[in-house]
Amino acid sequence: MEIRIKIRDYLDRNGIKNSWFADTIGISHQMLSQILTGRKKLSLEVGDKIIKATNGHITLSDILREEYKKIKFLQVIEGKAFDKCEVIIKNIKRED
């Protein structure tokens, strides 16, 4: 599932307005709209904020799989802090 769809699903299922979520994660309403419509890619910095704001519903694995669509193996050992995660990726072909 695309990350933008997963984020939208989370917001819909929890009755969260886009404007409130954008304010919560510290981005503009316009930027969130662009992410949700696929016009803008999700940065790791914004992704980290989304992981925290969704209490793990959106994961680092979700974000990396979006960026690297042809990953054959991805293992994420998530720590308490985003920057303390261990990521093992094999056989990557990055799609731009």
Side-chain angles (χ1 to χ4, degrees):
M1 177 184 297
E2 289 183 45
I3 190 86
R4 64 188 183 89
I5 295 170
K6 193 164 184 179
I7 295 167
R8 185 181 302 276
D9 178 57
Y10 174 83
L11 297 176
D12 290 344
R13 283 190 297 117
N14 291 282
I16 299 171
K17 292 185 178 187
N18 290 359
S19 57
W20 182 88
F21 191 70
D23 292 342
T24 299
I25 62 174
I27 63 173
S28 70
H29 303 178
Q30 181 181 22
M31 181 183 227
L32 180 60
S33 176
Q34 291 172 342
I35 290 168
L36 294 177
T37 58
R39 292 186 313 243
K40 185 166 186 68
K41 283 190 171 186
L42 182 63
S43 71
L44 287 178
E45 180 182 342
V46 172
D48 181 37
K49 293 176 182 180
I50 290 172
I51 290 167
K52 291 173 184 167
T54 62
N55 295 316
H57 179 76
I58 306 297
T59 66
L60 179 57
S61 296
D62 296 326
I63 293 165
L64 291 176
R65 284 201 185 279
E66 180 73 15
E67 184 67 18
Y68 297 97
K69 295 188 189 253
K70 295 200 176 185
I71 292 175
K72 291 186 179 182
F73 176 81
L74 171 68
Q75 177 182 4
V76 179
I77 301 165
E78 299 193 36
K80 291 185 179 180
F82 184 74
D83 60 346
K84 303 263 190 271
C85 296
E86 178 182 348
V87 179
I88 301 166
I89 303 173
K90 296 179 182 175
N91 299 324
I92 299 174
K93 180 178 179 185
R94 182 176 179 158
E95 296 206 355
D96 292 317

